[in-house]
Amino acid sequence: MLAARVNLKGWQQAAVAFGSAFGALLDPKRADLIAALGETTGKPAFERVLQRMKNSAEGREVLLERPRVISTQVSHAWDMPENTFGAAYAQFMGSRNFSPDDRPPVRFMDTEELAFVATRAREVHDFWHVLFGLPTNLIGETALKVIEFEQMFLPMCMLSVVGGSARFSEKQRTLFFQHYFPWATKAGLKSTDLMSVYYEKHFHEDLEEVRRNWGIVPCPDPKSSSI
């Protein structure tokens, strides 16, 4: 079940967006503020994502069944054989001591359908980490925001790229813009519509196979590749 929604008027949305942006700049670890910023600035983008999902058979199935990436619904990933997408996701979460239940709820969408799309976008984030082979450090998270922007055109994603790169050291900034950024812009465009994928029904499939099927190019090792 999705969290209760808060209906905001135009000026209220602007106020929440401004306050969230300012607070997130002061404390980038405030996931609740970043989430609020994404919701209050992202309605047109989420509406476009919703329409794309309705135009896709698998996307329509996701919208109909409204799966949640929470422990009670994705625990079967931990039972999947080695080399499967599910096993890779379980290893990713377990090795970092992450829980799929930790994400803040969506509060500022106008309809249940849009609230689900926004929730889905938030909850598939870790699937994308696994598929694109990105770490969860500042560079990895910023690179994934580039892909999320390419896929959904959420303003918050580009703001996160700007904010993330501003916190890089000079060495990190050079590495990001010479290696990660060019790869991410290409990878985000090359991939299928990743919001229309019913990931949970592909847990049993080989990781490399699903990557090929979805047009996903994992991030090359910066020590051994030139992009």
Side-chain angles (χ1 to χ4, degrees):
M1 183 177 178
L2 299 178
R5 300 194 312 277
V6 178
N7 293 318
L8 299 178
K9 297 178 181 179
W11 68 269
Q12 292 173 317
Q13 283 197 346
V16 171
F18 179 80
S20 299
F22 184 73
L25 284 173
L26 293 176
D27 185 359
K29 294 181 180 179
R30 286 286 303 274
D32 57 330
L33 295 179
I34 294 172
L37 177 62
E39 293 169 40
T40 52
T41 62
K43 181 183 173 184
F46 285 127
E47 287 175 336
R48 290 191 294 269
V49 171
L50 173 61
Q51 191 56 53
R52 293 205 316 264
M53 293 176 74
K54 288 181 176 180
N55 292 338
S56 158
E58 192 165 352
R60 289 194 297 272
E61 189 176 7
V62 172
L63 290 172
L64 178 65
E65 298 187 8
R66 295 192 181 183
R68 296 292 311 279
V69 186
I70 53 178
S71 55
T72 56
Q73 294 191 29
V74 298
S75 59
H76 61 293
W78 274 254
D79 300 324
M80 293 296 149
E82 190 177 355
N83 299 323
T84 60
F85 170 42
Y89 169 68
Q91 194 278 332
F92 171 88
M93 298 294 282
S95 66
R96 293 163 175 80
N97 200 28
F98 286 175
S99 167
D101 304 325
D102 288 343
R103 299 198 177 278
V106 168
R107 295 178 296 161
F108 301 116
M109 287 290 110
D110 293 345
T111 67
E112 282 287 342
E113 208 168 32
L114 280 177
F116 171 74
V117 172
T119 298
R120 185 69 173 172
R122 191 169 296 169
E123 292 182 345
V124 299
H125 178 87
D126 289 326
F127 292 156
W128 293 14
H129 265 291
V130 173
L131 292 165
F132 288 101
L134 284 168
T136 53
N137 56 22
L138 181 58
I139 285 184
E141 293 290 356
T142 305
L144 191 54
K145 288 301 176 188
V146 175
I147 291 173
E148 289 178 344
F149 180 78
E150 296 281 7
Q151 284 279 318
M152 294 182 282
F153 296 106
L154 283 169
M156 180 272 296
C157 293
M158 191 50 63
L159 291 172
S160 296
V161 172
V162 173
S165 59
R167 301 199 303 276
F168 290 157
S169 67
E170 193 58 39
K171 184 177 179 180
Q172 288 176 319
R173 188 172 295 109
T174 299
L175 177 62
F176 180 77
F177 284 107
Q178 288 186 355
H179 178 80
Y180 287 94
F181 186 79
W183 161 79
T185 54
K186 294 176 183 176
L189 290 172
K190 180 179 172 64
S191 301
T192 190
D193 179 7
L194 294 173
M195 282 297 294
S196 294
V197 174
Y198 204 146
Y199 296 95
E200 299 87 334
K201 294 196 173 183
H202 298 276
F203 278 171
H204 65 287
E205 297 176 16
D206 181 81
L207 176 61
E208 295 307 320
E209 183 177 341
V210 296
R211 282 171 169 163
R212 285 193 297 271
N213 290 343
W214 300 333
I216 289 174
V217 178
C219 186
D221 185 345
K223 297 177 182 178
S224 61
S225 80
S226 58
I227 297 179

